[in-house]
Amino acid sequence: MTKKRKLVFEFGWVLVLIIFCGWLFFFYHRSPQYNILLITLDTVRPDFLGCYGNPQVKTPNIDTLAKQGVLFSTAVCEMPTTTPSHASILTSLYPRVHGILTNAWKLNDNITTLPEILKVNGYTTGGFVSVRHLEKKLGFAQGFDTFDDNFSGLHRNATQVTDVSLQWLNSVKKKKWFAWIHYFDAHSPYEPPEQFAQLYPAVNNGSQMYGSFSQISAFEEKKYIPTQKDIERMQALYAAEISYVDNELGRLFNSLDKMGLRKNTIIIVLADHGESFDHDIYAAHGQSLYDSSIRIPLIISAPQLLPKGKRIDSLVRTIDVMPTILDFLRIKSETLMQGKSLVPMIRNQQTPGEPYVVIERRHFESKKDCLRRHIPFGARYAVRSANWKYIWSETAPEELYHLQRDNLELINIAEQNQNIKTEYYNYLQKWLQENSRLRQWAYQKIDAETAEQLRSLGYIQ
């Protein structure tokens, strides 16, 4: 072989190698072709699910999903109220930063949402909500090609929302899609279909309580103190509502199987908040910062992508869901996000969760109304860690609980633990200062310098 031909031959092999490496780089770094199904269950406590250790409540479909994927045992919301909590799930921002502190406040158009990012990255997006607190006029349609809030009254039931979701899924099954489906049924008033109510004997214990708005008002104003039978009946009806939603999830999952979509779909199931049947707060979770209202179920399942039957006990947050989804899809974003991807934790690349999580109680606008309902007026926050819960209130005494020894949060030990109380109070003050600054950035287009600052602090993925 002549020298010239040899050089051509060698150059050809180098060119082939460069092309091959480029192809490998493109293949590895392109977004995986997974569909995303995000399911939010309104007002569902983890201790009312079989997979979280309650054998009395019938939730076979959620339990099976947990066996097929990853269950987070200590997940919390950022505010136990529907509109703020869902805004946090879809933006990865604390309520203090996205600005929604109660139901019926609007999400600002300048704040980037998860569906907006996915749509830009080639996803067909559909949202299906079942309560007016999440409707289009409140800003929740941002980024959705299809957004279905077409129903009369305050809310619609699980069967109706599953029906419209399946119609859409069938129409986009050949595309890459993101769907958000919201089920409201476990929220008061508890009026489950009869076939599910009859699964729980306490429904027929003689009490007439079902968590109606008038009954909740009577509880709050101390006009009526619920008996143990009343509480047991409300809990039985609540469990029946969860069983009903679980049955509809089974219909949804079976339909995905029949459409051939299950194998390449990442399913995330979580609640926006829990429900209260304790601390003299009944079916009124928005007042409470106790674990019954702020702890939520969080399950992620994806065949051939995630381990099966894995349980993670680290403290995690609903704001971690959005960066986790983007991490799964290898989508980078210049959007401000306060959550962290859970993918490294799932893959055992890192195990610690958050050392502290701040939860804010919803904003109550009327001091007179709060006094009438015996609700502490003003700002109220909880700082939770794996072992401790500290509650600070503008108008009520401080509270401190050791969660491992007192998981029902019945014994306030704030006075006996001044050092711990001070540590958590100082963390809260630092958090408030930081979030005031981040709120300014959330409402504007971030310039290159600010983006670099946020990236160095871990707020940009």
Side-chain angles (χ1 to χ4, degrees):
M1 182 182 295
T2 66
K3 188 175 181 180
K4 184 177 180 181
R5 292 181 66 184
K6 185 177 180 181
L7 286 172
V8 171
F9 179 78
E10 290 176 350
F11 176 77
W13 273 108
V14 169
L15 185 62
V16 169
L17 185 61
I18 290 172
I19 293 171
F20 179 71
C21 290
W23 178 82
L24 280 179
F25 180 86
F26 170 77
F27 180 80
Y28 180 78
H29 287 278
R30 67 174 183 155
S31 296
Q33 297 299 299
Y34 289 108
N35 303 312
I36 303 292
L37 176 56
L38 176 64
I39 299 170
T40 57
L41 310 176
D42 217 295
T43 326
V44 172
R45 291 167 55 145
D47 60 352
F48 272 70
L49 300 175
C51 54
Y52 280 86
N54 188 333
Q56 305 304 318
V57 183
K58 312 297 190 295
T59 54
N61 297 294
I62 296 175
D63 299 347
T64 299
L65 189 75
K67 290 177 183 176
Q68 296 170 341
V70 181
L71 178 149
F72 293 86
S73 66
T74 317
V76 297
C77 67
E78 285 68 48
M79 181 180 285
T81 304
T82 297
T83 310
S85 182
H86 278 90
S88 290
I89 292 168
L90 293 174
T91 65
S92 188
L93 300 174
Y94 278 102
R96 179 61 38 183
V97 176
H98 62 59
I100 299 180
L101 303 180
T102 190
N103 285 333
W105 286 15
K106 184 179 184 298
L107 183 64
N108 191 289
D109 292 341
N110 289 344
I111 294 179
T112 303
T113 65
L114 173 63
E116 286 181 297
I117 295 172
L118 295 179
K119 184 175 179 179
V120 168
N121 283 272
Y123 277 78
T124 300
T125 55
F128 307 89
V129 300
S130 55
V131 69
R132 292 295 175 199
H133 301 331
L134 302 174
E135 62 186 344
K136 186 180 299 182
K137 71 179 184 181
L138 296 180
F140 284 91
Q142 294 180 46
F144 285 105
D145 298 304
T146 298
F147 190 81
D148 192 313
D149 60 354
N150 184 26
F151 51 92
S152 59
L154 177 64
H155 57 88
R156 61 179 164 185
N157 66 34
T159 302
Q160 293 167 327
V161 77
T162 301
D163 285 345
V164 295
S165 300
L166 287 175
Q167 290 173 12
W168 182 83
L169 286 168
N170 191 57
S171 71
V172 300
K173 60 185 177 182
K174 294 183 180 179
K175 300 177 181 178
K176 185 171 64 170
W177 52 263
F178 164 74
W180 167 37
I181 305 175
H182 165 257
Y183 292 96
F184 187 71
D185 303 79
H187 195 287
S188 60
Y190 313 122
E191 300 174 295
E194 185 66 19
Q195 69 186 92
F196 297 98
Q198 292 310 312
L199 295 172
Y200 301 94
V203 166
N204 302 310
N205 68 3
S207 168
Q208 299 301 309
M209 294 298 155
Y210 64 100
S212 69
F213 297 129
S214 61
Q215 290 172 355
I216 293 171
S217 293
F219 300 157
E220 291 175 332
E221 295 174 31
K222 309 303 179 186
K223 293 179 179 177
Y224 180 82
I225 306 300
T227 66
Q228 187 59 34
K229 274 191 173 183
D230 293 333
I231 296 169
E232 289 173 358
R233 183 173 194 264
M234 285 191 291
Q235 289 178 321
L237 289 168
Y238 172 69
E241 291 278 28
I242 293 173
S243 292
Y244 168 46
V245 172
D246 180 84
N247 188 73
E248 285 301 308
L249 288 179
R251 185 161 72 95
L252 177 66
F253 297 155
N254 289 336
S255 297
L256 286 177
D257 285 331
K258 291 176 181 176
M259 293 181 205
L261 297 175
R262 189 73 174 271
K263 61 182 181 296
N264 65 331
T265 298
I266 299 171
I267 300 175
I268 302 103
V269 174
L270 75 158
D272 59 345
H273 52 74
E275 182 62 291
S276 182
F277 297 107
D278 48 37
H279 292 84
D280 294 325
I281 302 172
Y282 304 102
H285 42 265
Q287 302 176 26
S288 172
L289 289 173
Y290 301 108
D291 269 15
S292 55
S293 289
I294 69 167
R295 279 190 66 179
I296 59 154
L298 172 59
I299 299 166
I300 305 177
S301 174
Q304 303 175 353
L305 178 64
L306 300 178
K308 291 184 178 181
K310 183 168 185 174
R311 177 188 174 104
I312 294 176
D313 297 325
S314 300
L315 184 60
V316 301
R317 308 158 294 181
T318 59
I319 56 172
D320 297 327
V321 169
M322 176 174 167
T324 299
I325 291 172
L326 297 179
D327 196 2
F328 276 134
L329 303 177
R330 302 194 198 119
I331 294 174
K332 301 293 183 182
S333 175
E334 294 290 280
T335 298
L336 169 64
M337 289 182 282
Q338 293 180 276
K340 297 178 182 177
S341 171
L342 302 176
V343 173
M345 190 181 292
I346 292 170
R347 294 177 177 166
N348 294 322
Q349 294 168 359
Q350 65 179 44
T351 53
E354 292 301 307
Y356 303 98
V357 174
V358 176
I359 303 97
E360 184 171 2
R361 193 195 62 178
R362 62 162 288 189
H363 172 67
F364 290 95
E365 298 183 70
S366 169
K367 185 175 182 178
K368 183 179 179 181
D369 188 46
C370 285
L371 290 172
R372 177 177 59 82
R373 296 163 62 193
H374 300 273
I375 299 170
F377 182 69
R380 191 167 167 83
Y381 301 90
V383 182
R384 195 194 193 283
S385 66
N387 295 319
W388 294 92
K389 165 83 70 63
Y390 168 70
I391 298 176
W392 179 88
S393 177
E394 197 174 343
T395 58
E398 295 169 290
E399 300 173 50
L400 183 69
Y401 303 97
H402 193 290
L403 299 174
Q404 304 306 313
R405 301 176 197 150
D406 177 25
N407 67 317
L408 297 179
E409 300 165 271
L410 298 176
I411 306 169
N412 182 4
I413 54 176
E415 291 304 312
Q416 301 94 304
N417 294 272
Q418 292 294 329
N419 290 341
I420 294 173
K421 188 175 74 170
T422 300
E423 173 191 342
Y424 281 64
Y425 173 80
N426 289 341
Y427 180 84
L428 175 61
Q429 297 309 308
K430 180 182 175 182
W431 182 90
L432 288 169
Q433 291 175 3
E434 180 180 15
N435 279 266
S436 294
R437 181 173 55 135
L438 291 174
R439 189 170 193 269
Q440 297 172 6
W441 285 335
Y443 282 80
Q444 61 189 4
K445 185 174 176 60
I446 298 172
D447 58 33
E449 182 181 350
T450 304
E452 189 54 42
Q453 285 180 309
L454 293 174
R455 191 175 290 105
S456 68
L457 294 170
Y459 290 125
I460 285 181
Q461 185 166 307

